[in-house]
């Protein structure tokens, strides 16, 4: 068995043997080779010496302020610098677009309440028309200052086509 | 044992971070900053560069975390990002240096040979020992340096290193073997003067 293991093939395995990451048949074969090969025994010792020094290398601790700097950089990237990002813009403008659309529908609905010819989609009907009696358009929720655009959009995006939207704006205003 | 996606201790935080929770990502930074910074420092051996690169690695990770599929542990994935960032940095830096030192060629870093060698007494200091090791590592090609650093400094398993570097495990073995072979004469004074108390600090890497 050990005659088939040349020094050339033994070398990469020596790396593993030296740091204790070699088991089974490969280990048996390598130890057989080592018993008859002084050069490979010297190599194994050299491997051991180097890994002992490297394992004892004093760790370079990250400076205490680094995590805060990374956090600030990420906050800046997803906030202010996000203005340069078209996806960010889309996210911010989507509620505005949705608001304008609904305002148009509400206005159309109010100015022609007697006309049965105007038909709204069921979602708009339950959500917007249901709130109409209190005198404010349902779109008001989009203009509340304490609702972030992302929260509103995520609320809309997360609900499936069959979910009722009635309860969602209330949750989002928290 | 290599961590799979299922026993990844970071799994929940990764999912939260991918869903946009910045606090979850901050916690991942706190968990992995020392390991990542230590690896980068061993790879580039300059304090300022190591800090900037560590920051860049986490920002790259933040941008990409939505695409992380959990095929490996987060740690493995982060090391992939780190080795790629280091590689890009080393190429850029060597091009820049080549502009100023046209005669110096190849991988060899000028820094590793500059300055007076430390005395045996100096080697008792953690900082001097680390600096000596990092200078020796800097003489290796980036491929050999990454393999041996991931194994002996960071304590990764061979299989995990193969994943990080995207190379067959046999290649990992031969790179580590050759790296240690080349480091042996350079580390001679450190082999003869084993770390006294420094070993305890070094061992914290192998968590």
């Amino acid at each position: 068995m050990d005659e088939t293991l040349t020094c050339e093939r033994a070398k990469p395995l020596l790396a593993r043997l030296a740091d204790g990451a070699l088991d089974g048949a490969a280990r048996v074969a390598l130890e057989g080779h080592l018993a008859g090969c002084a050069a490979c025994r010297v190599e194994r010792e050299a491997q051991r010496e180097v890994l002992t020094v490297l394992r004892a290398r004093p760790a370079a601790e990250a400076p205490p302020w680094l995590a805060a700097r990374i956090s600030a950089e990420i906050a800046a990237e997803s906030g202010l610098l996000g203005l340069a990002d078209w996806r960010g813009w889309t996210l911010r403008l989507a509620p505005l677009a949705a608001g304008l659309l609904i305002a148009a529908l509400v206005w159309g609905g109010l100015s022609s309440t007697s006309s049965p010819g105007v038909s709204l989609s069921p979602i708009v009907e339950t959500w917007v028309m249901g709130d109409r009696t209190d005198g404010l358009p349902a779109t008001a929720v989009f203009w509340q200052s304490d609702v972030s655009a992302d929260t509103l959009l995520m609320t809309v995006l997360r609900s499936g086509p069959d979910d009722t939207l009635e309860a969602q704006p209330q949750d989002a205003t928290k | 044992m290599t961590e799979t996606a299922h026993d990844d201790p970071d799994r929940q935080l990764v999912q939260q971070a991918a869903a946009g929770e910045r606090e979850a990502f901050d916690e991942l930074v706190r968990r992995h900053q020392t390991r990542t910074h230590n690896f980068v420092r061993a790879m580039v051996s300059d304090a300022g560069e190591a800090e900037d690169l560590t920051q860049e690695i986490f920002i790259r990770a933040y941008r990409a975390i939505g695409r992380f599929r959990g095929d490996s542990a987060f740690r493995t994935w982060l090391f992939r990002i780190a080795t790629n960032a280091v590689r890009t940095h080393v190429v850029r830096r060597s091009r820049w240096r080549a502009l100023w030192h046209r005669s110096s060629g190849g991988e060899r870093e000028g820094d590793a040979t500059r300055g007076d060698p430390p005395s045996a007494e100096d080697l008792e200091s953690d900082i001097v020992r680390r600096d000596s090791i990092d200078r020796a590592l800097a003489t290796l090609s980036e491929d050999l340096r990454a393999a041996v650093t991931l194994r002996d400094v960071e304590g990764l398993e061979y299989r995990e290193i193969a994943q990080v570097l995207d190379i067959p495990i046999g290649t990992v073995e031969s790179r580590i073997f050759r790296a240690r072979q080349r480091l042996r004469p350079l580390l001679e004074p450190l082999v003869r003067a084993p770390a006294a108390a420094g070993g305890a600090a070094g061992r914290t890497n192998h968590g």
Side-chain angles (χ1 to χ4, degrees), chain A residues 49-117:
Chain A
E49 287 167 346
V50 171
L51 77 90
T52 304
V53 169
L54 293 183
R55 276 187 188 171
R57 174 184 173 278
E61 298 280 336
W65 42 261
L66 189 62
R69 195 175 86 177
I70 291 168
S71 183
E73 183 69 26
I74 284 169
E77 171 156 321
S78 51
L80 202 83
L81 292 180
L83 292 177
D85 171 17
W86 69 267
R87 284 175 64 200
W89 269 108
T90 316
L91 283 172
R92 276 176 197 82
L93 290 178
L96 178 65
L100 287 171
L101 176 67
I102 291 169
L105 287 170
V106 170
W107 185 77
L110 284 173
S111 59
S112 58
T113 37
S114 58
S115 155

Side-chain angles (χ1 to χ4, degrees), chain B residues 22-40:
Chain B
R22 282 219 301 274
E23 295 79 10
F25 193 81
D26 286 346
E27 179 57 25
L28 287 170
V29 172
R30 281 191 288 274
R31 282 189 185 185
H32 292 275
Q33 61 168 344
T34 294
R35 190 187 281 277
T36 305
H37 175 265
N38 189 45
F39 169 70
V40 173

Side-chain angles (χ1 to χ4, degrees), chain A residues 19 49 57 60 69 77, chain B residues 38 55 63 158 180 184:
Chain A
D19 59 26
E49 287 167 346
R57 174 184 173 278
R69 195 175 86 177
E77 171 156 321
Chain B
N38 189 45
Q55 174 167 332
R63 286 181 190 148
Y158 283 80
R180 289 185 189 143
R184 178 61 187 81

